Amino acid sequence: ANDKVLVFKRENDTNCVVVMANLSPEPVYTTLTDETLEGTFDSYLAAGTEKLGKGSKVQLAPWDYLIYTKKQ
């Protein structure tokens, strides 16, 4: 885990949203440790998809954030 990165997931019966945010002025590299983030997600901010899961590596620029969505 990285204390400069905030990761959270919200979901209901039909949708799932995952947010990852770098809360620091430095670039960060972190590894996801939660198996509940498994799956292929659509990027909310850019075109394309991303396969996420336990062990996935994430790179975030200073103050950067990523938002992913997935239909359940």
Side-chain angles (χ1 to χ4, degrees):
N2 188 319
D3 63 352
K4 297 177 183 176
V5 177
L6 172 68
V7 178
F8 66 91
K9 177 176 87 169
R10 295 290 179 258
E11 61 186 323
N12 60 23
D13 293 336
T14 58
N15 296 298
C16 176
V17 176
V18 175
V19 176
M20 299 178 210
N22 177 1
L23 304 177
S24 76
E26 296 92 26
V28 294
Y29 305 89
T30 192
T31 302
L32 299 180
T33 59
D34 190 340
E35 59 272 350
T36 68
L37 297 177
E38 296 284 339
T40 301
F41 291 80
D42 295 315
S43 174
Y44 184 76
L45 302 172
T49 61
E50 185 81 28
K51 187 169 184 172
L52 299 176
K54 186 174 181 179
S56 294
K57 307 238 183 274
V58 177
Q59 177 181 347
L60 293 162
W63 309 114
D64 195 14
Y65 61 94
L66 301 170
I67 302 172
Y68 294 105
T69 62
K70 177 171 76 168
K71 297 284 186 196
Q72 302 285 56

